Amino acid sequence: MTTKDHVADAGTGWLDGLLILAVLALAGLLGCVVIRNADVWTHLATGRLINNGQYQFGVDPFCHTTADDVWINHAWGFDIGLYWVFQQFGGAGVVLMRCGIVLITTVFMLCTRRPGSGLAISAMVVAIGLIAANGRLPMMQPTLSSYMDLSILMWILHVAPRWRQRWLAPVAVFLLHVHWVNHDGWFILGPCVLALWLIGTLMQGKENDAGTGFWWSLVACALFGGLVNPHHINAYVLPDELVPTFLDPSICAQPFFDALHFNAFDGRFRSNQPGPAYATYIMMLLGIASFSLNLASKPWRRLLLWTVLTGLACWRARFIPFFVIGTAPLVVHNIQEAMTRFLEPTAYVRMVGITIRSVVALAILGLCFAAWPGWLGPSAQNALRTNRVGLRIEHDTGMEELARRLNELQTSGTLPTNPHVFSPSNEMANYMAWYAPSLRSFIDSRWRLHAPRIADFLAARQFFTNLDSGRHANLKELTATLKPYQVGLLAFNGSDRGDGTGPGRVLFTDPQRFPLLALSGRATAFAWNTSGLSMRPLVDAARLAFAPQAASRIAPPSDEEPKAQTAWERYVSGIRPRSMQLEEAAAWHEFTDASQMRVNEGMKAAAVASLIGGAGTDASLHLRTIMNFHPATAAAPNRVIAPDRVASAVLAVRHARAALAVQNESAEAAYRLSQAYSRM
């Protein structure tokens, strides 16, 4: 050991080991959070198709609008692995699969350091980097493979020049890119990183560690490795996030796409993801400081790569994990080189090092404590959406059951062959892909594939947004927009309806044009008879409420006193999620209001008809039918009650009581119950 190399000796080695264990524990906790991104179901559905031999490369099997488009699916390898793990081990296995990827990435980041140096600097930088990357780590997406492969590539860049068998490096790069191109479209980042490293090597103007020929061979092997895929040369397309021009600027400016365009310094990014945002700023400051201290060594290739990756992170917050994984080894090398020049290994320096290591180890353990409830990741302000530790895929039960029900209706022949579905939420398309493979959606989150149709999607979505907010909504414009696509089914989830006068409530009022086909939790599906279909409602509120087979015992109120969760219970298990019963109670409230609204409109139409002598009009007949159903109201037409209002109110009571029996401390369940009683 030389006097200038600050290696881990017997006195600090155990502290370095503690630091590494703490960082790995942090990585494991960040990798074991609950999976909430809905597009995991589309990836699982793709893996199922490939496994069953039903997948055709280049053809999109999920949407009815992409028949003439070519789908370059780089993630097919990821999808196969994901499907196999899910089939063998369920949702817990998928979470552990992601945890393994995060741990492998962390290990390679820790190993990419200056030869002979200790692990303390690497542990500190990597811990900060993990928090910065945690804005995207909770997503179970193919990009995780790119994070892992980039960390391996950075390790190869730093250690390959020291290998005795130089031919191993080109082979390793080739095999790495064969894996990368078949798992994620970001594989193109590999050749770019190698090219930047080569350019930086040429800029240094001196004999480098391996010679320019060595780096040229790595670039060539990376490019050739990217050709080993089912799409061959067509796989060389830029990722969607790097091609902002595939969408019209007016479309990109829509609030719907805001999350795609946040930059690292956007206030909305800081408010939605405070931990990752401030950790990113610290990483950038560390990079600036490390290069400032180490300019004497002329680290041009590291500086060039750091500048490009930092620019990507500043441009789009979604690129921060690539910035972290690519630049953390560069920062570590700079700091370790600067320390060898400015610090002598004296006893005082050693004591300071021990103190710093101890403090950092305690800080990382504190971060592990904060990682359990999800305080270090996105949605930290929403306790119900925080990415806390949990071995499960959390999904919307209502959308799952709705998709299952529509699939049953389709396979039984109740629905027309291959009905086309439109939903204002692209999440519904993901559930359809897995739970209703016989149906085809209008659009999903593969925005570049759907670029020619995004304007129509936003126009149609605006109709339902207007309904949700009570603004004027032009049905003729919606019909003109969707008619070329032959849409026959409309599907909504709770966020589409909202809690007020959403589109669900409005569509409930017109069962002739929009018959209700299925209702589950907050999710609803309607046929659209004006599109050429001729269907009747398949959800009968009276039968569900009063038929003998549906007369299940209403859950009695709990005798226990309402007990709120303690702070420790909220930390360990999180706030209890809204039950499906509560969601369905809210849906039946909307149905009840819509039923009475329909009667009120009919009464107004009948009154107008009677004034102009049209006693035989449909409205007048409708009014007489209602009065015949409720004879007691014939003398008091202002008290007419819709036939299905009582049934829907009973259903609302039933579901609200069931929700209150499960969570007797739920103020919303108590409110829904009182609201249901008031409507009976």
Side-chain angles (χ1 to χ4, degrees):
M1 181 176 67
T2 65
T3 58
K4 295 269 184 163
D5 284 336
H6 298 272
V7 298
D9 55 27
T12 60
W14 68 273
L15 275 176
D16 283 356
L18 178 62
L19 278 171
I20 296 304
L21 291 177
V23 173
L24 292 178
L26 177 62
L29 290 172
L30 295 180
C32 281
V33 299
V34 175
I35 295 174
R36 286 197 170 98
N37 55 296
D39 57 346
V40 69
W41 301 111
T42 297
H43 290 293
L44 283 169
T46 306
R48 178 175 59 190
L49 290 173
I50 299 173
N51 182 74
N52 296 337
Q54 300 171 338
Y55 181 80
Q56 181 179 351
F57 285 99
V59 178
D60 173 33
F62 303 120
C63 296
H64 60 81
T65 57
T66 56
D68 299 327
D69 298 325
V70 176
W71 178 32
I72 305 298
N73 180 22
H74 298 93
W76 69 274
F78 174 86
D79 297 340
I80 292 177
L82 181 69
Y83 175 73
W84 184 87
V85 171
F86 183 75
Q87 287 296 98
Q88 298 296 322
F89 308 105
V94 174
V95 175
L96 291 176
M97 172 184 172
R98 180 187 56 194
C99 180
I101 294 174
V102 175
L103 283 173
I104 292 173
T105 303
T106 304
V107 168
F108 276 98
M109 291 174 67
L110 290 170
C111 292
T112 310
R113 56 192 176 88
R114 191 171 183 271
S117 298
L119 292 166
I121 301 299
S122 294
M124 289 185 286
V125 174
V126 170
I128 298 171
L130 285 172
I131 301 172
N134 199 37
R136 302 295 301 174
L137 289 182
M139 304 291 184
M140 188 59 191
Q141 294 175 332
T143 320
L144 285 170
S145 297
S146 289
Y147 301 157
M148 179 181 68
D149 290 337
L150 178 59
S151 68
I152 297 173
L153 179 63
M154 294 303 299
W155 175 77
I156 292 174
L157 282 180
H158 287 84
V159 303
R162 300 193 300 272
W163 290 350
R164 292 184 178 180
Q165 304 293 335
R166 287 290 182 87
W167 59 268
L168 287 175
V171 172
V173 169
F174 176 82
L175 295 177
L176 177 68
H177 282 78
V178 170
H179 173 274
W180 201 341
V181 72
N182 292 295
H183 284 73
D184 187 41
W186 274 97
F187 81 97
I188 200 168
L189 187 64
C192 292
V193 167
L194 289 167
L196 289 171
W197 198 259
L198 171 62
I199 295 172
T201 301
L202 296 174
M203 289 172 57
Q204 290 187 181
K206 61 180 181 180
E207 187 64 26
N208 55 76
D209 45 16
T212 56
F214 175 78
W215 301 114
W216 275 111
S217 67
L218 295 190
V219 174
C221 287
L223 292 173
F224 281 116
L227 295 174
V228 185
N229 68 88
H231 305 285
H232 307 300
I233 191 64
N234 294 322
Y236 275 93
V237 294
L238 291 176
D240 293 356
E241 298 92 338
L242 287 178
V243 190
T245 55
F246 76 87
L247 289 179
D248 185 87
S250 61
I251 293 177
C252 291
Q254 297 271 354
F256 185 80
F257 290 103
D258 277 352
L260 297 177
H261 302 125
F262 286 166
N263 62 61
F265 303 99
D266 195 303
R268 292 167 294 182
F269 172 60
R270 287 195 300 274
S271 62
N272 293 333
Q273 303 182 21
Y278 289 107
T280 299
Y281 304 152
I282 293 173
M283 284 293 295
M284 291 181 178
L285 291 175
L286 282 175
I288 294 172
S290 69
F291 280 105
S292 299
L293 293 173
N294 204 40
L295 282 178
S297 65
K298 299 180 180 180
W300 303 134
R301 58 184 178 186
R302 293 202 294 263
L303 180 60
L304 178 63
L305 183 56
W306 181 88
T307 302
V308 173
L309 293 177
T310 304
L312 282 176
C314 293
W315 180 40
R316 294 282 187 269
R318 297 168 67 91
F319 303 154
I320 287 175
F322 294 119
F323 154 72
V324 168
I325 296 168
T327 63
L330 311 180
V331 172
V332 169
H333 272 70
N334 283 337
I335 294 176
Q336 290 174 338
E337 284 187 5
M339 289 177 63
T340 60
R341 287 198 307 272
F342 297 125
L343 295 178
E344 294 290 340
T346 62
Y348 174 77
V349 170
R350 183 174 177 275
M351 288 301 300
V352 171
I354 292 175
T355 303
I356 293 175
R357 285 176 168 86
S358 303
V359 172
V360 171
L362 291 175
I364 295 176
L365 292 176
L367 292 176
C368 292
F369 180 84
W372 180 273
W375 296 341
L376 300 180
S379 303
Q381 297 176 345
N382 186 343
L384 294 176
R385 301 296 298 170
T386 297
N387 294 97
R388 61 182 303 111
V389 172
L391 298 179
R392 67 185 185 277
I393 301 176
E394 191 166 287
H395 56 280
D396 189 302
T397 308
M399 283 196 283
E400 174 192 338
E401 293 299 327
L402 182 78
R404 289 183 186 273
R405 176 58 178 159
L406 291 178
N407 192 58
E408 292 173 1
L409 294 174
Q410 168 66 18
T411 54
S412 66
T414 305
L415 295 180
T417 305
N418 297 326
H420 293 172
V421 183
F422 177 85
S423 175
S425 169
N426 56 330
E427 283 193 357
M428 184 68 74
N430 295 308
Y431 282 90
M432 291 286 185
W434 177 251
Y435 293 106
S438 59
L439 301 176
R440 295 291 182 268
S441 300
F442 183 87
I443 204 171
D444 54 25
S445 55
R446 295 168 295 169
W447 301 120
R448 192 172 184 180
L449 176 66
H450 298 292
R453 294 164 293 276
I454 290 180
D456 288 341
F457 168 74
L458 293 177
R461 186 177 184 275
Q462 187 62 44
F463 171 86
F464 299 104
T465 303
N466 289 342
L467 287 183
D468 190 44
S469 59
R471 296 192 297 268
H472 174 69
N474 193 323
L475 183 59
K476 291 184 178 179
E477 292 181 359
L478 175 69
T479 304
T481 300
L482 296 183
K483 185 176 181 180
Y485 302 103
Q486 299 178 341
V487 172
L489 297 181
L490 301 173
F492 304 92
N493 61 19
S495 61
D496 299 326
R497 279 205 313 273
D499 198 35
T501 57
R505 180 180 299 186
V506 177
L507 298 186
F508 284 147
T509 63
D510 196 349
Q512 300 301 318
R513 183 177 294 167
F514 302 105
L516 180 62
L517 302 182
L519 186 151
S520 179
R522 299 183 300 164
T524 48
F526 300 85
W528 192 2
N529 281 346
T530 55
S531 65
L533 293 177
S534 181
M535 299 195 65
R536 57 180 178 80
L538 301 180
V539 178
D540 187 341
R543 182 178 61 83
L544 291 173
F546 304 119
Q549 64 270 23
S552 58
R553 181 179 178 83
I554 298 178
S558 174
D559 294 332
E560 299 180 0
E561 289 292 328
K563 182 181 179 181
Q565 287 180 292
T566 64
W568 177 250
E569 289 173 337
R570 290 195 298 270
Y571 172 82
V572 173
S573 58
I575 295 177
R576 299 186 186 99
R578 290 164 55 94
S579 67
M580 186 175 172
Q581 298 284 2
L582 183 57
E583 305 284 15
E584 195 149 331
W588 285 115
H589 282 315
E590 293 183 5
F591 192 96
T592 303
D593 292 342
S595 300
Q596 188 59 40
M597 187 187 307
R598 189 167 65 248
V599 171
N600 294 341
E601 293 299 323
M603 291 174 62
K604 293 177 183 178
V608 173
S610 64
L611 290 175
I612 63 175
T617 61
D618 291 341
S620 181
L621 289 173
H622 182 59
L623 180 59
R624 286 204 301 273
T625 302
I626 295 171
M627 290 183 174
N628 290 335
F629 190 88
H630 298 283
T633 65
N638 289 334
R639 297 181 59 195
V640 171
I641 302 177
D644 51 1
R645 174 176 173 178
V646 175
S648 58
V650 168
L651 290 170
V653 169
R654 183 176 299 167
H655 289 288
R657 292 191 67 175
L660 198 59
V662 175
Q663 296 181 4
N664 66 351
E665 81 283 0
S666 172
E668 184 178 358
Y671 166 73
R672 292 295 185 191
L673 182 59
S674 64
Q675 195 179 32
Y677 278 131
S678 69
R679 283 164 165 75
M680 293 187 67

